Amino acid sequence: MSTPASAPSEMAFFSLLARCASLSATARELGITTPAASRRLSQLEARLGVQLVSRTTRRLGLTEEGQTYLAHARRILGEIEAMEQAVSGLRTDPQGLLRVNATLGFGRSHIAPLITSFVRRHPQIQVQLQLSASPPALVDDSFDLCIRFGEPPDARVIARRLAPNRRLLCAAPTYLARHGTPATPGELSRHDCIDIRQGDEAHGIWRFSRGRKAEAIRLRDSLSTNDGEIAVSWALAGLGIVMRAEWDIARYLRSGRLVQVLADYATPPADIHVVYPQRHVATRRVQAFVEHLAQHFDGASPKF
């Protein structure tokens, strides 16, 4: 089968369709009508002789052939972009759309200000910042790079460690004055604990280690949420003990509004990583932002 000259355009169209999971949303992105987007998909399927998409009333799902086509399309489009950047040389500034994902609190406090300085340095890059309580799937095509806490579990992405980040237990002085300060993890079972339900980690269980001893404590959680900032606000109000990354609570520890609890016990780390698909290893706008992040976090630590 010969490859038409419009093949890269078809691959870009299908990659966008897979990301939007909707013909109408794809049409809006492209500035065309929904019937035009539908005809474009039908023409692609007719040329290939296979059905790429299973149509339902609400969303589009990919068939097995569609999954295969999408995987190859993303790889080829990434190689085309890298080739064009190599040909254009290093004299041109990075440009294009950069889609960044970060968690709600950390994204607002730390990533958004960095984007301000980044776009001033690279005005030809358009940045879309998406904040979410839980990070998207690492193989999702809805982002170009993602700032995550903890070690990325997927080998199909590239991860660069930006900074160490400990999870700390803390509570308001008013709570500790009423209920006392736990001396061991086991005593947490008698305390009000605020559980943050994010990601794939087990909920309602906090893990500790000290020397060679490790233990897991099941919480008596009277409050739980998937929003870390809400959990911290409850702790500030004296409603219980919370476990939160030090980058998110350092200012409250410095001011004394929160007090660290069980400081002699280690908890699973939440080191800060920037992760991105392997196809972006040579994408200049992605690499420029990764270096911008690395320069900012190099040697930085939340002081308290």
Side-chain angles (χ1 to χ4, degrees):
M1 179 186 300
S2 62
T3 302
S6 60
S9 176
E10 288 183 334
M11 288 185 287
F13 165 76
F14 191 74
S15 180
L16 176 63
L17 178 65
R19 175 161 60 89
C20 295
S22 162
L23 279 168
S24 59
T26 303
R28 285 194 298 270
E29 290 276 347
L30 295 175
I32 61 178
T33 66
T34 300
S38 180
R39 285 195 300 272
R40 191 166 177 179
L41 173 60
S42 297
Q43 290 168 358
L44 175 59
E45 290 179 323
R47 186 179 68 79
L48 296 175
V50 295
Q51 183 179 351
L52 299 174
V53 170
S54 58
R55 297 160 175 80
T56 63
T57 55
R58 292 188 177 182
R59 291 177 64 86
L60 299 179
L62 300 188
T63 63
E64 183 177 353
E65 292 82 3
Q67 295 279 5
T68 301
Y69 183 87
L70 178 63
H72 287 279
R74 287 176 175 171
R75 175 182 56 79
I76 293 169
L77 290 170
E79 291 175 352
I80 291 174
E81 182 177 19
M83 177 269 294
E84 290 178 343
Q85 291 179 357
V87 170
S88 64
L90 298 177
R91 290 175 296 176
T92 58
D93 292 329
Q95 56 186 315
L97 175 64
L98 180 68
R99 300 166 300 165
V100 180
N101 178 273
T103 57
L104 294 170
F106 191 78
R108 292 192 191 102
S109 301
H110 299 282
I111 302 304
L114 287 177
I115 290 177
T116 301
S117 57
F118 179 73
V119 295
R120 286 173 178 164
R121 182 182 299 180
H122 301 285
Q124 296 186 57
I125 297 179
Q126 301 84 47
V127 180
Q128 288 181 356
L129 176 61
Q130 176 195 31
L131 302 182
S132 55
S134 298
L138 293 176
V139 295
D140 195 348
D141 192 40
S142 63
F143 71 96
D144 296 310
L145 57 83
C146 179
I147 294 86
R148 296 180 62 114
F149 288 176
E151 193 69 29
D154 199 309
R156 289 171 290 180
V157 296
I158 296 173
R160 178 165 176 175
R161 184 174 179 265
L162 296 174
N165 190 28
R166 297 176 297 164
R167 289 184 172 99
L168 305 178
L169 264 71
C170 56
T174 53
Y175 174 86
L176 298 176
R178 291 195 311 269
H179 300 277
T181 301
T184 66
E187 294 181 16
L188 290 172
S189 61
R190 301 193 296 271
H191 281 266
D192 296 326
C193 296
I194 303 169
D195 191 22
I196 302 175
R197 298 173 176 263
Q198 293 179 348
D200 298 326
E201 298 180 0
H203 302 310
I205 297 176
W206 287 350
R207 302 184 185 280
F208 300 88
S209 62
R210 188 178 185 183
R212 296 184 177 181
K213 182 181 179 181
E215 54 186 316
I217 304 300
R218 183 167 294 279
L219 308 181
R220 190 187 77 185
D221 54 330
S222 57
L223 291 170
S224 65
T225 177
N226 69 338
D227 189 309
E229 287 188 282
I230 292 175
V232 172
S233 71
W234 287 340
L236 290 168
L239 299 182
I241 299 172
V242 70
M243 181 187 291
R244 189 68 172 150
E246 60 181 325
W247 280 86
D248 291 319
I249 58 171
R251 63 187 183 276
Y252 301 122
L253 293 170
R254 284 195 299 268
S255 67
R257 295 184 65 191
L258 292 177
V259 177
Q260 189 175 355
V261 175
L262 297 177
D264 294 335
Y265 290 84
T267 57
D271 293 349
I272 305 168
H273 288 79
V274 55
V275 300
Y276 52 96
Q278 293 181 358
R279 65 180 180 275
H280 286 320
V281 68
T283 303
R284 292 187 59 208
R285 63 181 177 273
V286 171
Q287 293 305 317
F289 190 67
V290 170
E291 290 304 320
H292 188 73
L293 293 172
Q295 290 174 13
H296 172 79
F297 285 103
D298 184 30
S301 62
K303 304 295 184 183
F304 57 87

